[in-house]
């Protein structure tokens, strides 16, 4: 949830506690409310909303009509990015502006009026469109709160995961020798490479024993796989810069390369 959404939830709490004079205790600004309220009622009125809606067909016509194609163009830049003016982007950007105006800016205005001592019930009574905005934003924000409470995002753990290397799978075999293979994940925005220990030499099923976004890390482990996979061979500790850590001993949250600390 954004900070604005949290502020709006606090506004809703104040709305339900209004009878307990909570708003009066929160008045921070000694400002005459009448001119501010008039400005607020104008900015969030049916007339302004109607004018904004009238612009939607016009912008949509510019965005999708072939008559305006000559005024737009996007170019490849030397830094690998696309820059310019996209015809189809106009209607998307305008709808985004309307969302920020009637969600973020409206919440900021509502909060300011509350701290000036104007009760939300007074705002609803004098401005029917404000009541509609209150209902719509409440229906949008409260489910977002419930969604945010249960949302989780963690780093994917690839180590020891079994994968299938069939031709139509999401994995591309870059190199292979005996029962060890370098595999690339095809469906990620940032390239990810695996060192896979196959169950058999001809098997299409294997276990991930190392992972890195740097292909050179996996190539090193691939070239030294016999040494790294031999449990009877003693491993020397890492003592210099850019020396790969054993694929079997690396921590799951570390890169294969470990910076040396003097």
């Amino acid at each position: 949830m954004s900070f604005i959404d949290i502020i709006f939830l606090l506004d809703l709490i104040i709305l339900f506690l209004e009878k307990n004079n909570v708003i009066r205790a929160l008045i921070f600004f000694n400002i005459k409310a009448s001119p501010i309220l008039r400005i607020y009622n104008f900015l969030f009125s049916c007339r302004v909303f109607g004018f904004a809606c009238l612009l939607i067909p016009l912008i949509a016509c510019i965005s999708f009509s072939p008559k305006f194609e000559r005024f737009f163009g996007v170019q490849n830049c030397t830094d690998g990015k696309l820059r310019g003016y996209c015809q189809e982007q106009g209607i998307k950007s305008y709808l985004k502006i309307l969302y920020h105006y009637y969600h973020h800016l409206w919440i900021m205005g509502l909060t300011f009026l509350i701290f000036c001592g104007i009760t939300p019930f007074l705002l609803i009574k004098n401005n029917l469109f404000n009541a509609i905005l209150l209902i719509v934003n409440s229906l949008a924000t409260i489910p977002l709160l419930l969604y945010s409470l249960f949302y989780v995002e963690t780093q994917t753990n690839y180590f020891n995961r079994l994968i299938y290397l069939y031709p139509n799978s999401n994995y591309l075999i870059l190199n292979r020798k005996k029962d060890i293979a370098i595999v690339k994940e095809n469906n990620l925005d940032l390239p990810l490479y695996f060192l896979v220990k196959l169950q058999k030499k001809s098997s299409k099923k294997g276990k991930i024993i190392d992972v890195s976004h740097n292909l050179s890390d996996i190539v090193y482990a691939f070239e030294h796989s016999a040494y790294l996979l031999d449990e009877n061979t003693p491993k020397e500790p890492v003592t210099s810069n850019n020396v790969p850590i054993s694929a079997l001993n690396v921590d799951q949250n570390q890169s294969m390369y470990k910076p040396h600390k003097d």
Side-chain angles (χ1 to χ4, degrees):
M1 293 187 66
S2 66
F3 178 74
I4 293 295
D5 293 321
I6 297 176
I7 293 296
F8 180 58
L9 290 175
L10 295 177
D11 292 340
L12 293 178
I13 295 175
I14 293 174
L15 172 64
F16 290 106
L17 296 178
E18 182 180 4
K19 294 182 179 180
N20 296 330
N21 295 324
V22 175
I23 293 180
R24 293 299 175 185
L26 294 174
I27 296 177
F28 293 156
F29 306 104
N30 186 17
I31 301 175
K32 291 184 178 181
S34 297
I36 299 176
L37 185 58
R38 286 197 296 268
I39 295 174
Y40 174 87
N41 287 331
F42 171 75
L43 293 176
F44 301 103
S45 63
C46 294
R47 289 177 296 175
V48 174
F49 180 74
F51 176 76
C53 291
L54 289 177
L55 293 179
I56 293 179
L58 176 61
I59 298 176
C61 181
I62 297 175
S63 296
F64 302 110
S65 176
K67 296 181 180 180
F68 299 94
E69 289 181 353
R70 63 182 183 273
F71 298 106
F72 299 90
V74 178
Q75 297 179 347
N76 286 315
C77 300
T78 56
D79 58 357
K81 296 182 179 180
L82 293 173
R83 290 188 176 91
Y85 299 93
C86 178
Q87 186 178 9
E88 294 80 8
Q89 186 63 29
I91 187 65
K92 298 178 183 178
S93 298
Y94 183 69
L95 294 177
K96 188 175 182 179
I97 290 173
L98 291 181
Y99 168 76
H100 287 297
Y101 183 85
Y102 287 105
H103 183 68
H104 295 116
L105 186 61
W106 176 80
I107 291 174
M108 293 172 60
L110 175 66
T111 305
F112 182 77
L113 289 178
I114 289 176
F115 282 101
C116 287
I118 301 177
T119 66
F121 286 124
L122 179 61
L123 297 176
I124 296 173
K125 180 179 179 181
N126 296 336
N127 190 338
L128 178 61
F129 186 68
N130 185 81
I132 297 175
L133 288 176
L134 179 64
I135 295 173
V136 172
N137 283 298
S138 298
L139 293 177
T141 304
I142 294 177
L144 179 62
L145 170 64
L146 298 176
Y147 173 79
S148 301
L149 288 176
F150 298 98
Y151 178 77
V152 62
E153 180 178 346
T154 58
Q155 188 69 30
T156 304
N157 183 13
Y158 292 99
F159 286 85
N160 296 323
R161 174 182 294 184
L162 292 176
I163 60 174
Y164 296 88
L165 306 176
Y166 295 112
N168 295 327
S169 66
N170 297 328
Y171 305 101
L172 176 64
I173 299 177
L174 302 180
N175 201 350
R176 179 175 180 172
K177 65 177 182 181
K178 297 181 180 180
D179 58 347
I180 298 294
I182 298 177
V183 178
K184 178 183 177 182
E185 169 66 75
N186 290 328
N187 294 336
L188 299 178
D189 295 333
L190 183 62
L192 191 62
Y193 305 94
F194 305 123
L195 183 67
V196 177
K197 177 72 168 60
L198 303 176
Q199 291 184 344
K200 298 179 182 179
K201 292 183 180 180
S202 59
S203 175
K204 296 295 183 181
K205 182 179 180 181
K207 182 175 66 174
I208 297 175
I209 59 176
D210 197 14
V211 57
S212 177
H213 290 290
N214 191 347
L215 179 59
S216 61
D217 294 352
I218 303 302
V219 170
Y220 178 91
F222 178 78
E223 293 176 349
H224 298 78
S225 58
Y227 169 77
L228 295 175
L229 296 174
D230 186 3
E231 298 180 355
N232 297 323
T233 303
K235 308 298 189 300
E236 296 181 359
V238 178
T239 56
S240 61
N241 292 328
N242 298 330
V243 176
I245 303 173
S246 167
L248 298 180
N249 297 330
V250 67
D251 184 81
Q252 294 180 359
N253 296 320
Q254 291 181 345
S255 168
M256 222 176 125
Y257 284 102
K258 182 177 182 180
H260 173 62
K261 296 182 180 179
D262 294 331

